[in-house]
Amino acid sequence: MKGYTGKLLRVNLSDGKISKEEISESMQRDFLGGRGFAVKLLWDEVKRVDPLSERNKIVFSTGPLSGQLLPSSGKMVVASKSPLTGGYGDGNIGTMASVHLRKAGYDVLIVEGKSENPCYLLIEDEKINILDASELWGKNTFESQDLLEKRHGKNSGILLIGPSGENLIRISTVLSQRGRAGGRPGMGAVMGSKNLKAIVIRGTGTISNFDDEKLKEYAKKAYEEIKGKEAYPFWMRQGTMQVFEWCNENHCLPTYNFREGVFEFSKEMDGYVLERMAVDRKGCPMCNMQCGHIVKDIKGERAELDYENVGMLGPNLGMKTLAEVALLNRMADEWGLDTISLGSCMGFLMEASEKGLIPEKIGWGDFDRAQRLIQEIGRGEGIGALVTEGVKSASEKIGKDSHRWAMHVKGLEISAYNCHGCPGMALSYGTSPIGASHKDAWVIAWEVSTDRFSYSMEKVEKIVEFQRIRGGFFESASVCRLPWVEVNFGLDWYPKFLEAITGHKRDWEELYQIGDRIYTFIRAFWKREIPSFGRAWDYPPPRWFEEAPSQGKLKGIKVDKEKYDQMLSWYYEIRGWDQNGIPSKETLHRLGLSEVTKEISL
Ligand code: PTT
Ligand code: SF4
């Protein structure tokens, strides 16, 4: 199909074998790209393997919109069987590697096996080399990025891991461009387990589209439309940090390990503080909404801040200034640790310390101790070793009632929204296909502005609608969703882009169906990999059901478990899954996934 290279590059690090394979038209049609390709490939090729063994594979997958001359298209999905959750895991990273991979002639890169020694992969169009990385091993992501840029050119697409990925710390992510991160559920550890420090891509070709003239015309108008949007100027000032103040006002800021939703030092680290401190702005390729705000941390080093990072490393730990948070963020980037899981793990340890469940003293807001803690986690040493597999595993190790405040779903730590007073967002976390991520259905803004405390069918339908658009379409297309989410760029542009690129007209109904196929497939993946998987995995932590915040306007408010249960049942009905959350035979047939039926013993 036009708009795809139609090629998958496969590199086996065990025997050095390299092959280029066709991606069938039916795969392009049924799965679109990105996340869709990733789940299909992982389903076919990764069955009941140890995620950190050489039998696991890691997929870098683009879609028909990736790398095109279109707003915010420099994105790519990084997916694998997750070492953090044991299920399907992915993330979406903004990187020149996405553009270069497509220009080099591939839609997908899949890396399998394990190199005997530290290596990195160099892809230059047809020429593929597995090179020695002993000089890079042990270096942080900034040093490694510098070194690789010196060797291969500043404009290269570079994906890499830090020392935490090398040390197989399961909350490690993949980094690019000194501040882009993707693959929260341990994708950095999967690269580390393969002794793969980095991937460098340089492509010189072009993508062959159906109607380039039309696409150019659309692109020009689209960029202009984005710039003219009412929300654009404020977005350019604060980026994702504009939500910080909103969260505090609405009492959903993650505070003291999600105990509270409002933070006494919020004025020291909100979007306005960011505006005053910002020294630079960066972003992903092809984007005119650049949201990477750079500040100088407390030691004068550059750090790129986003809302999730600040929420999880700021109020969640009781830090007091943005300059402190920036340093913790910078350290996470250097080590290659996911900021969300890191913030949750550190909050968990602080609470465990306060409750006397661990011997170490780690106080809330103890900035010096927090810095040392990041190093311990990155190395897997000292008390840091307790949380290297995330908070779920840590709570299983220390026992008592710690599972009640281990803030995760399916083993992936909850991102920066406290949901005591947001049952819809709690369900969104509960049903996200990779564990507790906000990426699939960020329903919280709509929920707070409508009937906040209700448990309605309308909320469940909204979650499914968001999942179809965000987790289905944007993750597969695969482009950044923020033009639509943040400045209200029209969704009706996207079928037009697709038609100019591929020559095929597709409406939202068809795109929704692709999303449904992907969600059901991911669900089946979890079931095949974890036979006990089912309804019990779709609940947020007991803290939101049992313990209300002690202050503010949500004092006394909790999520009602029975009503949550009812919403979950409705959710399954809409999806065509049984009441244990397992896709029914009929649904699998309807979505063209009959092959899956016998593997999950239906
Ligand atoms: C995403 C998650 C997020 S979501 C943030 S901030 W966010 C954190 N960023 C980290 C970081 O930085 N350093 C670090 N060491 N760890 C980090 N972990 C956290 O990772 C990101 C943007 C953002 S900023 C968001 S919401 C949107 N996410 C998109 C998405 O998921 N899909 C899509 N099609 N478009 C999106 N656009 C926006 O992209 P994960 P990025 Mg990310 C320093 O990958 O695994 O999904 O985790 O990719 O290039 O950094 O862009 O307030
Ligand atoms: Fe990247 Fe931000 Fe632009 Fe999205 S809006 S493409 S995350 S810079």
Side-chain angles (χ1 to χ4, degrees), residues 410 523 526-527 530-538 580-582:
K410 300 182 179 68
R523 197 75 187 176
W526 278 89
K527 179 67 186 162
I530 307 173
S532 63
F533 183 77
R535 186 178 186 112
W537 295 66
D538 293 339
N580 193 28
I582 307 304

Side-chain angles (χ1 to χ4, degrees), residues 75 90-94 173 175 179-185 240 284 291 304 306-309 329 332-333 336-340 438-439 474-475 479-482:
K75 287 273 183 183
D90 71 16
N92 196 305
I93 187 164
T173 185
L175 273 288
R180 303 277 110 193
R184 287 195 55 216
T240 56
C284 313
C291 64
E304 187 170 330
D306 268 301
Y307 168 69
E308 301 297 325
N309 306 349
N329 192 154
D333 286 350
L337 290 159
D338 170 54
T339 49
I340 297 172
H438 58 285
K439 75 153 73 190
F474 280 103
E475 292 315 305
V479 285
C480 180
R481 60 170 188 260
L482 296 187

Side-chain angles (χ1 to χ4, degrees), residues 395-452:
S395 72
E396 284 160 5
K397 286 179 199 147
I398 67 172
K400 301 278 178 2
D401 69 345
S402 63
H403 70 281
R404 300 192 173 282
W405 37 271
M407 303 306 288
H408 72 92
V409 177
K410 300 182 179 68
L412 182 68
E413 285 70 21
I414 291 173
S415 57
Y417 302 94
N418 195 346
C419 295
H420 280 104
C422 305
M425 191 64 206
L427 183 69
S428 162
Y429 279 129
T431 58
S432 155
I434 60 167
S437 165
H438 58 285
K439 75 153 73 190
D440 286 81
W442 190 69
V443 75
I444 192 165
W446 173 85
E447 177 173 40
V448 170
S449 69
T450 52
D451 192 2
R452 178 169 186 171

Side-chain angles (χ1 to χ4, degrees), residues 383-575:
I383 193 64
L386 185 64
V387 293
T388 54
E389 298 182 3
V391 294
K392 176 173 186 249
S393 146
S395 72
E396 284 160 5
K397 286 179 199 147
I398 67 172
K400 301 278 178 2
D401 69 345
S402 63
H403 70 281
R404 300 192 173 282
W405 37 271
M407 303 306 288
H408 72 92
V409 177
K410 300 182 179 68
L412 182 68
E413 285 70 21
I414 291 173
S415 57
Y417 302 94
N418 195 346
C419 295
H420 280 104
C422 305
M425 191 64 206
L427 183 69
S428 162
Y429 279 129
T431 58
S432 155
I434 60 167
S437 165
H438 58 285
K439 75 153 73 190
D440 286 81
W442 190 69
V443 75
I444 192 165
W446 173 85
E447 177 173 40
V448 170
S449 69
T450 52
D451 192 2
R452 178 169 186 171
F453 301 111
S454 77
Y455 296 75
S456 61
M457 176 58 118
E458 194 193 359
K459 268 191 191 175
V460 181
E461 286 169 346
K462 197 69 179 172
I463 289 165
V464 176
E465 181 191 331
F466 277 169
Q467 290 181 340
R468 285 173 170 156
I469 299 171
R470 296 166 61 110
F473 175 72
F474 280 103
E475 292 315 305
S476 316
S478 127
V479 285
C480 180
R481 60 170 188 260
L482 296 187
W484 164 61
V485 176
E486 303 291 355
V487 303
N488 201 21
F489 177 63
L491 268 187
D492 42 352
W493 273 108
Y494 292 95
K496 289 202 257 180
F497 295 157
L498 263 183
E499 190 179 351
I501 288 168
T502 64
H504 293 275
K505 217 180 172 68
R506 303 182 117 179
D507 57 20
W508 275 104
E509 204 180 317
E510 197 181 334
L511 296 172
Y512 275 12
Q513 205 193 29
I514 294 175
D516 289 351
R517 180 175 299 121
I518 293 168
Y519 269 66
T520 295
F521 214 171
I522 293 179
R523 197 75 187 176
F525 185 89
W526 278 89
K527 179 67 186 162
R528 184 183 70 180
E529 299 305 300
I530 307 173
S532 63
F533 183 77
R535 186 178 186 112
W537 295 66
D538 293 339
Y539 289 82
R543 167 153 279 168
W544 287 345
F545 295 119
E546 295 172 354
E547 242 183 82
S550 70
Q551 37 174 306
K553 61 185 174 194
L554 292 194
K555 194 172 165 183
I557 300 276
K558 300 180 264 188
V559 179
D560 183 311
K561 190 148 186 207
E562 256 179 53
K563 292 179 181 164
Y564 179 94
D565 244 341
Q566 175 63 72
M567 287 207 300
L568 185 57
S569 297
W570 287 331
Y571 176 87
Y572 293 152
E573 278 167 30
I574 298 175
R575 286 243 166 259

Side-chain angles (χ1 to χ4, degrees), residues 168-242:
L168 310 184
I169 308 303
R170 293 176 194 231
I171 58 168
S172 302
T173 185
V174 177
L175 273 288
S176 189
Q177 303 184 184
R178 303 179 182 80
R180 303 277 110 193
R184 287 195 55 216
M187 304 302 108
V190 176
M191 275 181 70
S193 73
K194 303 193 169 305
N195 273 329
L196 178 63
K197 176 75 180 180
I199 299 168
V200 182
I201 315 178
R202 296 189 61 86
T204 58
T206 47
I207 307 167
S208 164
N209 294 314
F210 177 72
D211 189 343
D212 273 318
E213 281 314 303
K214 191 100 216 141
L215 199 61
K216 260 191 224 152
E217 180 197 320
Y218 285 161
K220 190 165 174 291
K221 283 191 187 147
Y223 279 114
E224 276 166 14
E225 185 176 313
I226 289 171
K227 264 188 141 170
K229 289 285 182 189
E230 201 186 329
Y232 186 80
F234 191 58
W235 168 263
M236 293 306 277
R237 280 167 46 197
Q238 298 200 354
T240 56
M241 275 293 286
Q242 65 187 10

Side-chain angles (χ1 to χ4, degrees), residues 328 331 335 337 342 346 370-378:
L328 302 182
M331 287 183 74
W335 280 90
L337 290 159
L342 177 66
M346 289 164 77
Q371 292 171 63
R372 278 182 280 124
L373 196 51
I374 293 177
Q375 292 171 351
E376 287 170 26
I377 295 173

